[in-house]
Amino acid sequence: AKAEGRNTYRLFSDDMAGETQERQKLKADLRWAIDHDELHLVYQPIMDMQTRSLSSFEALLRWTHPERGPIGPDRFIPLAEESGLIGKIGLWVLRRAARDALAWPAEIALAVNISPLQLKQPGFVLEVTRALRDSGLPPTRLVLEMTETALFDNDALTRQALTELKALGATIALDDFGTGYSSLSLIRDRRFRQLKIDKSFVDGIGSCRDSEAIVRGTINIARQMGFRIVAEGIEYASQLAWLEANGCDEAQGYLISRPMPEKDIAGFILAQTHL
Ligand code: C2E
Ligand code: CA
Ligand code: CA
Ligand code: CA
């Protein structure tokens, strides 16, 4: 039993070392990626349910690793946060997306994901202001998506940044709503104007009474507080119909469109009178 224990231990510790090395390598590669054109953005449309028209595009980051191929943001954003690269990457995203959006053939809003760590960096709001000014994109076209965890610790820098971003004219959206710890108390904060219901709840529509009750309740409360409500991860027409019947304002998901490369956007915008 003792020998077995030791083996188990060694295996475990080898794994840990392997994981650490792997992560270190990826972090170093990510540093390189920023300056060598390995990152790019794709955009997923968000539809206004009432007018059946395009309301905005959400910018989503992609990394094509030269040896490993595509690596998803769920994997590399945490690495960027751990290694202190997120500020640089986040700014790159904002600048590139703002520049892209200005060239679109209609004045459609642009949503960008913001990491909690970016919000805490002194000078962040100034950098947003500069990025907007340099691109010429009006702040009113910008939606900044932040998760509840971004706002959970509620420190002074975060609070100040939120106030300034709102004053600038940007819309602040609560992303992945319902998955954090502080959901209901957060929506009393008047700095937020939009709320995105997380895909995990949308998934349950049509099959899970509890998910439906949560979504219905969230929409009712949020509406009364003046929020715009967006549902993400819609894959089935039945989900879309249910959300529409229950008062959701905007819809996003593969059913409407997968994220698309920048070069397809103008065509997408021009091709549709409605979605
Ligand atoms: P998110 O903000 O919740 O973005 C929605 C994710 O769901 C995206 O995954 C999108 O491609 C995917 N999605 C949209 N509709 C559907 C659907 O109908 N079915 C399914 N199965 N998936 C759908 P993606 O692009 O892999 O991004 C994952 C997460 O990475 C994002 O979640 C966001 O938290 C983060 N992320 C992406 N880009 C950035 C960025 O530029 N900055 C930061 N800080 N985070 C980012
Ligand atoms: Ca998002
Ligand atoms: Ca989301
Ligand atoms: Ca989500």
Side-chain angles (χ1 to χ4, degrees):
K2 206 175 172 189
E4 198 180 272
R6 201 157 50 219
N7 268 336
T8 313
Y9 175 73
R10 194 179 307 141
L11 241 174
F12 179 61
S13 93
D14 282 356
D15 267 11
M16 296 276 289
E19 157 75 345
T20 306
Q21 244 180 30
E22 158 90 5
R23 287 167 74 87
Q24 274 168 1
K25 164 93 165 72
L26 275 181
K27 283 180 190 173
D29 291 352
L30 189 55
R31 199 175 294 274
W32 168 272
I34 306 170
D35 299 319
H36 296 83
D37 241 23
E38 290 173 18
L39 299 179
H40 72 277
L41 291 172
V42 290
Y43 295 91
Q44 189 178 31
I46 302 177
M47 177 189 82
D48 183 316
M49 291 222 200
Q50 198 154 29
T51 61
R52 294 266 155 176
S53 62
L54 201 54
S55 134
S56 56
F57 281 99
E58 178 178 2
L60 294 161
L61 191 55
R62 297 288 177 264
W63 179 17
T64 312
H65 192 284
E67 292 136 34
R68 294 165 204 237
I71 302 178
D74 280 331
R75 174 128 173 78
F76 71 78
I77 293 287
L79 296 176
E81 290 177 335
E82 281 169 33
S83 59
L85 284 173
I86 191 67
K88 195 172 179 198
I89 291 181
L91 202 61
W92 180 88
V93 169
L94 194 68
R95 287 186 165 275
R96 174 60 59 91
R99 202 186 71 193
D100 284 351
L102 204 73
W104 296 343
E107 288 181 12
I108 288 165
L110 165 72
V112 173
N113 292 286
I114 300 293
S115 156
L117 294 180
Q118 285 179 269
L119 265 188
K120 284 194 187 47
Q121 281 172 358
F124 173 66
V125 179
L126 192 65
E127 281 174 341
V128 174
T129 312
R130 280 204 193 112
L132 289 171
R133 196 193 51 208
D134 292 352
S135 68
L137 191 79
T140 47
R141 274 181 68 188
L142 184 66
V143 180
L144 299 166
E145 300 193 1
M146 346 198 151
T147 57
E148 294 170 69
T149 33
L151 309 157
F152 183 58
D153 59 355
N154 197 30
D155 67 75
L157 272 177
T158 302
R159 283 203 310 271
Q160 165 129 22
L162 286 173
T163 304
E164 290 175 11
L165 290 168
K166 183 178 183 243
L168 202 66
T171 298
I172 303 172
L174 284 172
D175 204 355
D176 296 347
F177 190 80
T179 60
Y181 300 102
S182 46
S183 311
L184 283 179
S185 60
L186 263 181
I187 62 173
R188 287 164 58 191
D189 189 323
R190 294 290 166 189
R191 286 172 294 200
F192 309 126
R193 296 250 323 279
Q194 183 178 308
L195 183 155
K196 294 187 85 170
I197 298 173
D198 190 61
K199 177 177 188 300
S200 57
F201 299 108
V202 173
D203 285 342
I205 293 174
S207 61
C208 169
R209 289 265 171 105
D210 290 346
S211 291
E212 291 181 357
I214 291 169
V215 175
R216 201 182 284 119
T218 302
I219 292 175
N220 286 339
I221 296 175
R223 284 209 117 186
Q224 290 184 48
M225 305 197 57
F227 278 81
R228 264 192 97 67
I229 303 128
V230 185
E232 67 169 30
I234 302 169
E235 294 181 346
Y236 302 102
S238 57
Q239 295 169 330
L240 186 68
W242 189 97
L243 285 159
E244 190 166 26
N246 282 277
C248 184
D249 299 303
E250 298 183 21
Q252 179 181 25
Y254 291 172
L255 177 71
I256 295 151
S257 167
R258 293 198 173 235
M260 64 186 83
E262 161 63 18
K263 67 170 176 51
D264 292 352
I265 289 202
F268 186 88
I269 292 175
L270 295 173
Q272 61 197 354
T273 44
H274 65 256
L275 288 168

